[in-house]
């Protein structure tokens, strides 16, 4: 048998193949291994976020397979990024820096709001001043300094590595070809991951049905699907999907039905004649209704006394322990979060802030001569309220920096409700025209850290010592709020202009121990107090409203003083009367009992579909019915 010539073409080809494989092994395999290390560190960090106090804020995560899937997704993207960029140390430093920053931000958001990090929070990266204001300076400075040092070191190490390698021209060419070949794969992989919520998405399908189990509760979402799955499932999408049957004819047919038999205008009060004060009480709830919790004294006695003078009941929160801005959205627009895509956690932040206009009671009343003021004793950049309020039509926004010498109670770092109410009264006294005020208080916002010297004694299902302290601190705050609100109503009673006050809670704070939640019906954790009160005589004082959806609060205020309702508000009231409070994944009847959607009658389902069609028309669609159902009707 003859020996192969060194110049044999087949021999040269095999040599090139071996050389290419060896080159890829030297360059790609280390990148893949390094990507695995980076991904593991990132995933472990994000599963146990830490707050500024060094306290772990872990989740009750239950799925090892979802952890592995999240790790694999990150691993593939990081490995492709390393191979394509060929900047091993720089990419490592940058990605680990991002992981640490995300870890810190995740823990801080849990500490300050009770909510996990969601994709729309990335909007805040454009306002580093706001991010710095939300946490301890060292918490922001240390990761930034560390990242800067790591990047400089990475650039140096990458430079040293390149000089040490001294690759031949063919080897450099092969690496360049590999990078160019894998670049489209990286782009396609990233696009696929970011398109997670599109129907038929491959990555979404890998998670199975669990990924759709809890889109309305981001804490439960993280518990079930891990950080990666929960974060991807919350990537914003369109505000609403097109309902079946939507079109001009369908909307005009609904408008025709609801404009029939409109009552004749009366000589009585109209909403445009009065001050309308909408007060959202932060963490305002009624702990005396919770079975298994014993409290030394009633924290809300004064509000209960006022119930005999107005109308009272309960509102249904959009979430347990969160969702303040969403409750505002429902009150001001009449639009239900139940119809909004589950990835939209805060419509203010995800949608409203980027619009130039959005149908609302603010715009409607302003068009007919009312002034409109928003008041919130906190940073207006949170949930992008500044931009959202401008979109909705407010003339002025009074935020934390606008308060002069605000009062804070004992150790509570938040501005007191008494200060917020006094500011509101000052503006109402000086108002030259009827005024809509949207006040969102801040006094009773978490975290609750043993602020008060004499909180009420509590017992029963109170959890551990930290949980008991938080509960007692929150309940003590309710007492201060009760006194401040009663003083506010006393001041409103002295105003010359007729004034209607709607006082409602946004949610329970997310501090109730699991055993306490388990001892009560699920619906109870969503219900918060409601009082509609006026400084003029009202029909049927002391009326118990039962459970009222926040979308119906403005119509309810109009009804109490006998003001006419536009057809749109008549639709909202019909939904309230015939179905109840319609929330995300839960319907609560006027008797506080939960109703299964499957148990709705055909007539109730048609009514709900009418509501969905109108909401889509107003928020995303063509606005065929906006004037006929709402804006053409004088308040």
């Amino acid at each position: 048998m003859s020996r192969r010539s060194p110049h044999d073409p087949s021999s040269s080809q095999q040599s090139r193949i071996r050389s290419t494989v060896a080159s890829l092994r030297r360059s790609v395999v280390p990148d893949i291994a390094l990507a695995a290390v980076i991904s593991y560190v990132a995933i472990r960090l994000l599963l146990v976020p830490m707050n500024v106090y060094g306290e772990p804020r872990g989740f009750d995560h239950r799925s090892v397979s979802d952890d592995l899937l999240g790790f694999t997704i990150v691993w593939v993207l990081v490995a492709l990024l390393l191979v394509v960029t060929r900047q091993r140390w720089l990419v490592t430093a940058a990605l680990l820096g991002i992981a640490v920053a995300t870890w810190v931000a995740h823990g801080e958001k849990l500490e300050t709001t009770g909510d996990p990090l969601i994709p729309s929070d990335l909007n805040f990266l454009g306002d580093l001043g706001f991010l710095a204001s939300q946490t301890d300076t060292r918490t922001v400075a240390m990761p930034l300094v560390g990242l800067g040092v790591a990047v400089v070191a990475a650039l140096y190490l990458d430079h040293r590595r390149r000089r040490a390698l001294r690759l031949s021209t063919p080897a450099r060419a092969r690496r360049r070809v590999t990078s160019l070949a894998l670049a489209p794969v990286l782009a396609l992989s990233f696009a696929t991951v970011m398109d997670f919520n599109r129907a038929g998405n491959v990555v979404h399908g890998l998670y199975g049905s669990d990924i759709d189990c809890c889109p309305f509760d981001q804490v439960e979402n993280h518990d079930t699907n891990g950080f990666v799955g929960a974060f991807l499932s919350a990537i914003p999408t369109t505000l609403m999907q097109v309902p079946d049957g939507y079109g001009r004819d369908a909307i005009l047919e609904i408008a025709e039905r609801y404009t029939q038999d409109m009552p004749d205008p009366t000589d009585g009060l109209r909403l445009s004649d009065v001050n309308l004060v909408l007060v959202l009480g932060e963490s305002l709830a009624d702990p005396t209704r919770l079975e298994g919790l014993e409290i030394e004294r009633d924290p809300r006695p004064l509000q209960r006394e006022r119930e005999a003078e107005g109308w009272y009941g309960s509102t249904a929160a959009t979430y347990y322990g969160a969702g303040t801005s969403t409750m505002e959205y429902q009150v001001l627009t009449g639009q239900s979060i139940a119809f909004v895509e589950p990835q939209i956690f805060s419509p203010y932040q995800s949608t409203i802030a980027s619009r130039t206009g959005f149908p609302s009671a603010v715009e409607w009343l302003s068009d007919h001569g009312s002034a409109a003021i928003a008041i919130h004793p906190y940073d207006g950049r949170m949930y992008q309220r500044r931009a959202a309020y401008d979109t909705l039509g407010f003339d002025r926004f009074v935020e934390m920096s606008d308060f002069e010498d605000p009062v804070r109670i004992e150790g509570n770092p938040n501005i007191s409700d008494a200060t917020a109410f006094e500011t509101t009264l000052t503006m109402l006294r000086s108002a030259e025209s009827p005024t809509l005020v949207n006040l969102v208080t801040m006094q009773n916002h978490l975290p609750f850290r043993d602020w008060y010297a004499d909180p009420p004694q509590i017992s029963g299902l109170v959890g551990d010592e930290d949980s008991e302290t938080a509960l007692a601190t929150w309940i003590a705050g309710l007492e201060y709020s009760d006194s401040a609100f009663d003083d506010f109503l006393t001041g409103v009673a002295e105003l010359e202009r007729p004034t209607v006050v709607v006082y409602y809670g946004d949610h329970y704070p997310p501090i109730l121990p699991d055993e306490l939640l388990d001892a009560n019906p699920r619906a109870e954790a969503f219900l918060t107090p409601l009082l509609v009160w006026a400084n003029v005589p009202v029909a049927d004082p002391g009326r118990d409203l039962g459970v009222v959806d926040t979308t119906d609060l403005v119509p309810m205020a109009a009804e109490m003083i006998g003001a006419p309702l536009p057809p749109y508000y008549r639709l909202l009231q019909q939904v309230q009367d015939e179905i109840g409070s319609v929330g995300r994944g839960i319907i609560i009847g006027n008797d506080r009992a939960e109703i299964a959607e499957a148990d709705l009658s055909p007539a109730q389902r048609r009514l709900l579909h009418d509501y969905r069609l109108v909401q889509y028309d107003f928020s995303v669609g063509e606005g065929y019915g906006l004037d006929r159902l709402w804006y053409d009707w004088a308040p």
Side-chain angles (χ1 to χ4, degrees), residues 405-448:
D405 301 321
V407 174
R408 292 174 170 85
I409 304 170
E410 299 186 42
N412 188 336
N414 300 313
I415 293 176
S416 69
D417 283 1
T419 296
F421 285 131
E422 185 57 38
T423 299
T424 303
L425 267 178
T426 298
M427 293 188 169
L428 291 173
R429 288 171 182 144
S430 62
E432 297 179 355
S433 62
T435 302
L436 166 66
V437 176
N438 181 62
L439 168 61
V440 179
T441 70
M442 193 64 192
Q443 174 186 293
N444 298 321
H445 200 287
L446 55 72
F448 302 101

Side-chain angles (χ1 to χ4, degrees), residues 15 46 134 240 248 262 294 296 335 352 410 433 442 552:
S15 177
L46 295 173
Q134 296 303 299
M240 285 183 68
R248 181 184 181 87
M262 288 288 291
E294 302 298 326
E296 176 186 8
Q335 298 188 16
I352 309 300
E410 299 186 42
S433 62
M442 193 64 192
D552 196 41

Side-chain angles (χ1 to χ4, degrees), residues 53-386:
Y53 302 98
E55 301 166 339
R57 310 292 292 184
F59 294 94
D60 184 21
H61 189 47
R62 298 184 287 271
S63 174
V64 175
S65 63
D66 286 343
D67 279 352
L68 182 59
L69 181 53
F71 165 79
T72 303
I73 292 169
V74 176
W75 184 20
V76 170
L77 292 177
V78 172
L80 285 169
L81 186 61
L82 285 168
V83 173
V84 169
T85 62
R86 295 180 293 150
Q87 299 285 340
R88 184 175 297 168
W89 291 109
L90 181 59
V91 169
T92 299
L95 291 180
L96 287 179
I98 290 171
V100 171
T102 304
W103 174 56
V104 171
H106 194 33
E108 285 299 298
K109 190 182 179 193
L110 281 166
E111 175 69 17
T112 56
T113 70
D115 303 329
L117 206 63
I118 57 176
S120 57
D121 291 329
L122 295 175
N123 294 331
F124 292 123
L125 290 176
D127 193 343
L128 296 180
F130 169 72
L131 293 178
S133 72
Q134 296 303 299
T135 186
D136 186 272
T137 303
R138 68 170 188 256
T139 308
V140 176
M142 290 177 63
L144 289 178
V145 172
L147 178 59
V149 172
V151 168
V152 171
L155 289 170
Y156 173 74
L157 291 171
D158 258 328
H159 176 69
R160 289 283 303 272
R161 184 175 68 90
R162 288 171 182 276
R163 290 189 62 184
L165 283 175
R166 294 180 180 176
L167 295 174
S168 64
T169 300
R172 288 198 300 270
R174 285 193 293 269
R175 294 192 69 179
R176 190 173 296 112
V177 169
T178 301
S179 296
L180 292 174
L182 289 178
V185 178
L186 172 62
L188 179 61
S189 300
F190 184 77
T192 300
V193 169
M194 295 307 295
D195 201 25
F196 186 85
N197 291 309
R198 178 182 53 80
N201 182 274
V202 175
V203 182
H204 188 286
L206 293 174
Y207 275 92
S209 60
D210 280 351
I211 201 68
D212 298 319
C213 75
C214 43
F216 314 126
D217 184 339
Q218 288 304 314
V219 172
E220 177 69 12
N221 196 2
H222 279 257
D223 282 349
T224 304
N225 300 304
F227 180 88
V228 175
F231 192 82
L232 293 177
S233 71
I235 291 175
T237 181
T238 182
L239 187 66
M240 285 183 68
Q241 295 295 334
V242 184
D244 292 339
Y246 174 71
R248 181 184 181 87
D249 291 344
I251 296 299
L252 294 183
E253 189 273 330
I254 294 172
E256 179 66 25
R257 278 191 279 122
Y258 282 92
T259 53
Q260 289 179 356
D261 304 321
M262 288 288 291
D264 294 330
T266 66
D267 295 328
L269 288 173
R270 307 177 71 93
L271 276 183
S272 56
D273 298 326
V274 306
N275 297 321
L276 176 59
V277 184
L278 305 170
V279 182
L280 184 155
E282 172 60 47
S283 297
L284 173 65
D286 188 356
T288 65
R289 293 194 60 89
L290 296 174
E291 294 291 335
L293 178 62
E294 302 298 326
I295 306 174
E296 176 186 8
R297 54 185 182 263
D298 182 3
R300 299 175 47 254
L302 300 177
Q303 185 177 338
R304 293 189 207 281
E305 290 179 10
R306 293 284 188 175
E307 291 173 352
E309 303 169 7
W311 294 357
Y312 70 95
S314 300
T315 51
T318 52
Y319 307 100
Y320 161 68
T324 303
S325 67
T326 305
M327 294 286 274
E328 284 184 79
Y329 160 81
Q330 293 196 141
V331 173
L332 297 173
T333 66
Q335 298 188 16
S336 174
I337 196 70
F339 303 140
V340 171
E341 286 296 279
Q343 293 78 23
I344 306 296
F345 185 72
S346 169
Y348 276 6
Q349 187 172 327
S350 301
T351 304
I352 309 300
S354 61
R355 298 279 192 93
T356 56
F358 199 88
S360 70
V362 185
E363 192 172 67
W364 177 54
L365 288 168
S366 296
D367 286 347
H368 291 85
S370 292
I373 301 172
I375 304 174
H376 181 45
Y378 197 63
D379 195 315
R381 292 169 291 186
M382 178 62 79
Y383 297 114
Q384 298 191 348
R385 277 191 174 90
R386 287 179 188 169

